[in-house]
């Protein structure tokens, strides 16, 4: 009978030892992983803060001028310039100019540099501008409210129904709504393709 009790105690002690070992090993490893996660998160936050000052998601700025025109710019991400907090580098950008008594002008680009002080904006990479039936694409577009001018340049392709045009620059006056398209070299000609 004593043999049976000793074997049962031995098995019980073995089972308790294994359970204790597994318990401490499992929770200790989980605790180490948790500490490593916290350290990695702190390093990532520090890196973002040091490099970008502040990284923001879903940015939205808007303003109205004295003539009753409105401007709105949205971006998926924005990074404030460390040296100049008025300057913001934006990614995946959509801007809309709501002209008084006119259809809106929409601008889309991969990136933009926006100055929230004077609203001057430089769009670049895969830039598209749309106004009524008119569409144009390029690599760069500057929007200036000081001069009330939109200047598009660098591989412009302008399209409207039945017409496709290739040029170096496109300028739109925001006050008169007049536009002009031209080549940088006066000896080069604008290429026009009519589909009619």
């Amino acid at each position: 009978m004593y043999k049976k009790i000793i074997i049962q105690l031995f098995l019980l002690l073995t089972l308790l030892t294994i359970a204790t070992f597994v318990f401490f090993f499992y929770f200790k490893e989980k605790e180490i992983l948790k500490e490593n996660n916290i350290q990695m998160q702190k390093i990532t936050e520090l890196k973002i803060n040091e490099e970008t000052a502040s990284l923001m998601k879903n940015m939205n700025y808007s303003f109205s001028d004295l003539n009753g025109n409105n401007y709105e710019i949205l971006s998926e991400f924005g990074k404030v310039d460390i040296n100049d907090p008025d300057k913001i580098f934006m990614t995946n950008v959509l801007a809309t100019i709501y002209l008084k008594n006119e259809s809106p002008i929409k601008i889309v680009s991969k990136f933009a540099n926006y100055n929230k002080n004077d609203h001057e904006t430089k769009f670049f990479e895969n830039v598209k501008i749309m106004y009524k039936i008119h569409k144009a694409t390029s690599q760069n577009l500057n929007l200036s409210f000081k001069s009330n001018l939109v200047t598009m340049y660098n591989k412009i392709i302008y399209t409207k129904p039945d017409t496709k045009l290739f040029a170096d620059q496109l300028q739109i006056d925001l006050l008169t709504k007049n536009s002009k398209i031209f080549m940088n070299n006066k000896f080069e000609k604008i290429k026009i393709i009519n589909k009619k």
Side-chain angles (χ1 to χ4, degrees):
M1 180 150 180
Y2 288 114
K3 243 183 182 182
K4 202 175 187 182
I5 293 174
I6 291 174
I7 291 173
Q8 286 176 346
L9 280 174
F10 177 74
L11 288 174
L12 184 64
L13 282 174
T14 306
L15 186 62
L16 285 173
T17 306
I18 291 171
T20 306
F21 177 75
V22 169
F23 178 79
F24 282 113
F25 180 76
Y26 175 75
F27 283 107
K28 189 71 173 170
E29 188 173 301
K30 200 172 185 180
E31 200 173 292
I32 290 169
L33 286 173
K34 190 176 179 182
E35 285 177 18
N36 285 343
N37 242 1
I38 291 169
Q39 287 175 349
M40 285 300 290
Q41 191 175 2
K42 284 180 183 175
I43 289 168
T44 305
E45 285 174 7
L46 277 174
K47 190 174 182 183
I48 288 171
N49 289 336
E50 286 173 3
E51 289 178 0
T52 64
S54 57
L55 183 63
M56 294 174 272
K57 192 173 181 181
N58 298 324
M59 296 186 73
N60 183 347
Y61 286 96
S62 60
F63 88 99
S64 299
D65 66 14
L66 297 173
N67 299 322
N69 301 315
N70 297 305
Y71 177 57
E72 181 179 46
I73 186 165
L74 305 122
S75 70
E76 186 177 354
F77 296 102
K79 221 178 357 178
V80 176
D81 188 328
I82 295 172
N83 302 318
D84 186 353
D86 286 334
K87 292 183 181 173
I88 300 166
F89 177 76
M90 298 178 149
T91 305
N92 297 330
V93 185
L94 169 64
T96 308
I97 305 167
Y98 299 96
L99 300 170
K100 190 175 179 181
N101 303 322
E102 285 287 336
S103 296
I105 298 171
K106 292 199 178 284
I107 303 167
V108 178
S109 70
K110 180 70 179 166
F111 304 109
N113 288 325
Y114 173 71
N115 186 321
K116 63 181 182 177
N117 189 31
D118 59 11
H119 313 290
E120 302 292 295
T121 313
K122 294 183 178 188
F123 300 87
F124 54 99
E125 199 170 310
N126 299 325
V127 180
K128 294 178 188 134
I129 187 168
M130 293 151 283
Y131 175 69
K132 294 183 181 179
I133 61 168
H134 308 277
K135 292 179 185 172
T137 61
S138 73
Q139 292 304 309
N140 301 87
L141 184 145
N142 296 344
L143 175 59
S144 173
F145 289 98
K146 289 178 188 173
S147 57
N148 289 304
L149 196 64
V150 175
T151 305
M152 193 173 205
Y153 56 97
N154 195 359
K155 299 180 183 175
I156 293 176
I157 301 172
Y158 166 82
T159 58
K160 69 176 188 174
D162 301 325
T163 305
K164 195 172 198 177
L165 190 138
F166 301 85
D168 290 336
Q169 265 196 64
L170 167 68
Q171 289 184 344
I172 303 168
D173 187 313
L174 293 174
L175 296 178
T176 64
K177 284 72 167 182
N178 292 331
S179 62
K180 59 182 178 178
I181 192 159
F182 54 92
M183 300 298 284
N184 293 331
N185 182 342
K186 63 181 180 180
F187 298 109
E188 290 182 22
K189 293 185 179 185
I190 295 169
K191 184 179 176 182
I192 301 171
I193 300 171
N194 284 316
K195 297 176 185 176
K196 288 183 180 178

